[in-house]
């Protein structure tokens, strides 16, 4: 009974200790066997080692190991007297000054590197290709990537990405072309740094054409006769201009009618003319064919068929002689070309004169082309299939003129005027209103096979 009581008394403090905290009573150490690994794992106490490792991990997360830090970073010399301290701060103010717990936790800058994906081995093809691409980009644009800067131990100023003195630059809207070029260069550098690619260089010809497709102004001033209150002379000039354009149109229409008109009745072909045209050349050809057949028959009777004799066959000697003769002729041609080439060396002066004459002709041709280009600079070019047609001048008749701007009714459309201006300045190609195509109704036809199947079914 005593044994059972002692065991109960020994178990009771353990069960109570698990529920209620109490000071740990150090008793005699329990002896256990550690003859195998499982016993060692079960009965060995490694709590102190785990506490030490946890403390080390905490130090690494919050600023590094304390043992590796210098004394200056851990301690400081307090040189201030207690009397010189400021007046005690109020309790409310103290609460405000005290930082939050979350700020205290993340205050220390961690030195532990973040967990990243699997890095490929240094000797792999992927790394080599990446490094080669970075080197190529550095040679082209002068941009050094972040990884390469770390490898070379360069900061952003040394790499040329940042300037040592950051001065804010202002863009002048009304600046010169030189300043515009500088901004374009900066834009290209920024594009290369962000995308890692160089911009495609547009040819100069297309750039100039895109900037200045025509020398004509964007908005042309109308004829003074188109004003709401024009002078008599200006109004008459505008009317004459309209008459000229209208007369040109009428002439073109009349020309088309004349070309498409049927000839007069007296010039029509009669029945006899049609028969003559149909039988023309037939009778003469028949007579010629009869004569040719008669001559062929006579020739066949007179000339016998040629037969190949044994004497006419070529021997080896004849073939050899013919071959030698061909080689001699080829040699003569080669000698002749050589003599001509040697003779050309002696006439270098005349060749130079001929070249100079050709160059002069080319220059004259280029000058003429430039003159024609300057003459046609203000004229619209043919960019598509259709030619540009000048719009009909907008005008008012003398009866429709009004003295005040309030009563004046505008002519034409602003949208059409802008559209024509784009065509005149070679920005848009000339276009014609598309004709509507006739859409015929669908015809449904029953096939024989379909009929047969339907009947059988």
């Amino acid at each position: 009974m005593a044994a059972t009581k002692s065991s109960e008394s020994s178990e009771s403090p353990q069960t109570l200790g698990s529920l209620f905290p109490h000071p740990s009573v150090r008793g005699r150490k329990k002896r256990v066997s550690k003859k195998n690994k499982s016993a060692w794992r079960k009965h060995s106490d490694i709590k102190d080692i785990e506490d030490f490792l946890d403390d080390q991990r905490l130090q690494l997360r919050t600023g590094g190991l304390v043992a590796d830090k210098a004394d200056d970073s851990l301690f400081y010399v307090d040189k201030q007297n207690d009397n010189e301290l400021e007046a005690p701060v109020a309790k409310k103010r103290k609460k405000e000054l005290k930082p939050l717990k979350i700020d205290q936790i993340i205050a220390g800058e961690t030195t532990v590197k973040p967990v990243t994906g699997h890095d490929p081995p240094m000797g792999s093809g992927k790394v080599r290709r990446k490094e080669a691409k970075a080197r190529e980009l550095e040679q082209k644009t002068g941009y050094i990537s972040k990884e390469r800067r770390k490898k070379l131990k360069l900061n952003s100023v040394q790499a040329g990405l940042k300037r040592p003195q950051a001065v804010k630059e202002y863009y002048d809207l009304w600046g010169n072309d030189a300043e515009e070029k500088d901004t374009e260069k900066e834009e290209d550098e920024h594009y290369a740094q962000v995308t890692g690619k160089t911009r495609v260089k547009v040819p100069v010809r297309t750039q100039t054409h895109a900037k200045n497709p025509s020398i004509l102004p964007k908005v042309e001033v109308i004829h003074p006769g188109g004003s709401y209150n024009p002078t008599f002379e200006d109004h008459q000039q505008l009317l004459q201009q309209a008459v000229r354009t209208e007369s040109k149109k009428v002439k073109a229409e009349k020309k088309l009618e004349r070309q498409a008109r049927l000839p007069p009745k007296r010039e029509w072909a009669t029945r006899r003319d049609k028969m003559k045209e149909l039988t023309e050349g037939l009778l003469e050809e028949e007579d010629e064919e009869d004569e040719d057949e008669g001559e062929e028959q006579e020739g066949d009777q007179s000339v016998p068929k040629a037969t190949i004799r044994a004497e006419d066959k070529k021997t080896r000697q004849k073939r050899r002689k013919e071959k030698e003769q061909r080689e001699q002729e080829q040699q003569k041609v080669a000698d002749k070309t050589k003599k001509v080439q040697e003779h050309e060396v002696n006439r270098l002066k005349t060749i130079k004169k001929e070249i100079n004459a050709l160059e002069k002709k080319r220059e004259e041709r280029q000058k003429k082309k430039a003159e024609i280009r300057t003459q046609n600079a203000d004229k619209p070019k043919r960019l598509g299939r259709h030619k540009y047609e000048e719009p009909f001048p907008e005008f008012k008749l003398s009866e429709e003129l009004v003295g005040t701007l309030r009563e004046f009714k505008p002519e034409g459309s602003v949208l059409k005027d802008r559209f024509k201006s784009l065509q005149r300045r070679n920005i848009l190609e000339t276009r014609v209103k598309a004709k509507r195509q006739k859409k015929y109704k669908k015809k449904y036809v029953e096939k024989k096979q379909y009929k047969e199947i339907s009947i059988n079914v």
Side-chain angles (χ1 to χ4, degrees), residues 104 127 142 212 226 240 243 258 283 288 304 310 332 336 383:
Q104 289 175 1
V127 173
N212 304 313
Q240 284 171 7
V243 167
R258 215 182 303 121
L283 299 167
E288 285 173 6
K332 277 181 185 178
K336 198 175 182 180
L383 302 174

Side-chain angles (χ1 to χ4, degrees), residues 108 127 136 171 205 256 330 404:
V127 173
E136 193 180 341
Y171 176 69
R205 192 177 174 186
L256 277 171
Q330 286 172 3
T404 59

Side-chain angles (χ1 to χ4, degrees), residues 230-242:
T231 59
F232 178 74
E233 291 82 10
D234 292 338
H235 189 249
Q236 288 299 314
Q237 281 177 9
L238 183 64
L239 288 174
Q240 284 171 7
Q241 192 179 335

Side-chain angles (χ1 to χ4, degrees), residues 78-88:
D78 188 8
K79 294 179 181 178
Q80 202 171 14
N81 195 1
D82 294 340
N83 299 328
E84 290 176 7
L85 290 168
E86 292 177 2

